[in-house]
Amino acid sequence: MKRGVSILGASGSVGESTLKILRQFPEEFRLTSFSVHSNLQKAESIAKEFQPDILCISSDTADRAVLGNKIGNTNILYGSKSLEEIVQDPETETVVTAVVGASGIRPTIAAIRAGKKIGIANKETLVSCGPYIRSLLENSKSYLVPVDSEHNALFQLLENMKKDSLERIVLTASGGPFRKLPVEDLPKVTIEQALKHPTWNMGPKITIDSAGMINKGLEVIEAHFLFGFSYDKIGVVIHPQSVAHGLVETKDGASFVYASYPDMIFPVAHSLYYPNVVPKVLRSHPATSWGNLEFLEPDLERYPGLALAYEAGRAGGTSPSIFNASNEVAVELFLQGKILFTEIPTLIRNVLEKIPNTFPGDLEGYEEADRKARELAFHFPKDKVVHLC
């Protein structure tokens, strides 16, 4: 039987990579359901091509008259709550969570409770309420296979290594488009410049995160909850070529590196096939084609958001949730031209200092911290902002 796949966020870069794999392996997988937020034209195109059982338009304000309630044999559901419904379909084996932001949390929880394998590309789920998610997984048949290229690389390396040999894990980062720009010029960068990522083709929010390496900070927190390493044992290096995606350092001083062409088809295919192996070459990338590889320490004056992420992660509780929520608002304000690029980490710092850190025992506690952080970040008075030095 073909294995059923549900894609949350099919119109984004990870969603498109997942569809690419389904096209390559039509005898192995079937798209049972998918979601888009508001791209109705894309939704119609995917539905006609793959003929899934269910399509979800997750926007609560979508015009239902455009597509109606059915495309061929595909039923159409509307609204954000429908995301939680489609992941529970008994025909679905794997749920790929590729929606951006905290909107992915409740659907992921629904998939865990339904016992699904989850190809998790929505890092905000673990960042915002990692302890709660871990507790759910302990009492479920569900499990996570990371789809972010860095975490997937580490997942594959760690699975084949003895725990008592491990010393540290290291995430790689391209450094973004401003890696060599003088620090004093960072306040002047434009939205267009920040959206030009040197390696990856991603959505605007993740691209802005990557430009300031806040994305890597979120990944550090995610790695803590995925793999159980303390923050002192999770490193970050700048690797502009984006060939090596993760490194594992062992106690004897050796390092093991996972390398591949920078294309999301590799981690997506791995997550869909897991625990089986991907049966054929997706894209040849021999070592002779890698060129010179650089590994550099990140400059925290240039990337203060990375340092803030480590602080929030070490604080635990709701601090990571506050960090994530205030960052989402700050990125949106930057994309609207309301704050400077360098004011993104500044706003995050101010919100973290204003909202008390708590240690909830339920999801609602994390969601309340998220709500407070968004509200404060959105309405933070400009004359009260204390700028980072």
Side-chain angles (χ1 to χ4, degrees), residues 28-95:
E28 295 274 0
F29 303 104
R30 182 175 84 88
L31 184 66
T32 53
S33 61
F34 73 97
S35 80
V36 302
H37 183 64
S38 57
N39 191 336
L40 302 185
Q41 183 177 0
K42 186 74 171 180
E44 183 177 20
S45 172
I46 295 171
K48 287 181 176 179
E49 178 183 0
F50 290 92
Q51 302 177 43
D53 301 322
I54 310 171
L55 154 62
C56 169
I57 309 297
S58 61
S59 171
D60 292 317
T61 60
D63 184 352
R64 302 185 179 207
V66 175
L67 296 180
N69 296 318
K70 214 172 180 69
I71 299 175
N73 293 320
T74 301
N75 293 311
I76 304 177
L77 304 178
Y78 292 88
S80 55
K81 289 290 291 182
S82 298
L83 291 172
E84 298 174 48
E85 184 176 340
I86 67 173
V87 299
Q88 300 177 61
D89 181 358
E91 298 296 317
T92 296
E93 175 195 83
T94 303
V95 177

Side-chain angles (χ1 to χ4, degrees), residues 127-243:
V127 172
S128 294
C129 48
Y132 181 76
I133 297 297
R134 294 307 318 175
S135 69
L136 288 180
L137 288 167
E138 288 172 3
N139 299 296
S140 171
K141 295 179 180 179
S142 177
Y143 59 96
L144 308 180
V145 181
V147 172
D148 274 345
S149 63
E150 298 83 0
H151 298 100
N152 185 266
L154 292 170
F155 182 92
Q156 293 193 56
L157 289 170
L158 291 168
E159 191 175 38
N160 296 295
M161 301 179 72
K162 294 181 179 179
K163 288 186 177 180
D164 59 2
S165 72
L166 306 176
E167 177 61 24
R168 195 172 76 123
I169 57 176
V170 181
L171 299 160
T172 61
S174 70
F178 307 131
R179 183 172 62 87
K180 295 182 178 181
L181 188 73
V183 173
E184 59 270 21
D185 291 340
L186 287 173
K188 306 172 190 174
V189 302
T190 66
I191 297 169
E192 292 73 20
Q193 289 172 323
L195 287 171
K196 290 181 179 178
H197 195 278
T199 308
W200 297 95
N201 179 23
M202 305 176 291
K205 192 269 180 182
I206 299 175
T207 305
I208 300 301
D209 281 347
S210 297
M213 281 186 67
I214 286 178
N215 193 50
K216 204 55 50 179
L218 293 169
E219 290 177 8
V220 167
I221 298 172
E222 184 184 11
H224 168 75
F225 290 113
L226 278 171
F227 307 120
F229 284 78
S230 71
Y231 289 99
D232 293 336
K233 298 294 184 179
I234 304 173
V236 172
V237 296
I238 292 178
H239 170 53
Q241 295 77 25
S242 298
V243 169

Side-chain angles (χ1 to χ4, degrees), residues 86-133:
I86 67 173
V87 299
Q88 300 177 61
D89 181 358
E91 298 296 317
T92 296
E93 175 195 83
T94 303
V95 177
V96 178
T97 58
V99 292
V100 176
S103 61
I105 295 174
R106 283 193 172 266
T108 303
I109 289 171
I112 292 172
R113 288 178 170 152
K116 304 300 183 182
K117 178 177 74 173
I118 301 171
I120 187 163
N122 174 259
K123 62 178 63 65
E124 290 82 2
T125 294
L126 284 169
V127 172
S128 294
C129 48
Y132 181 76
I133 297 297

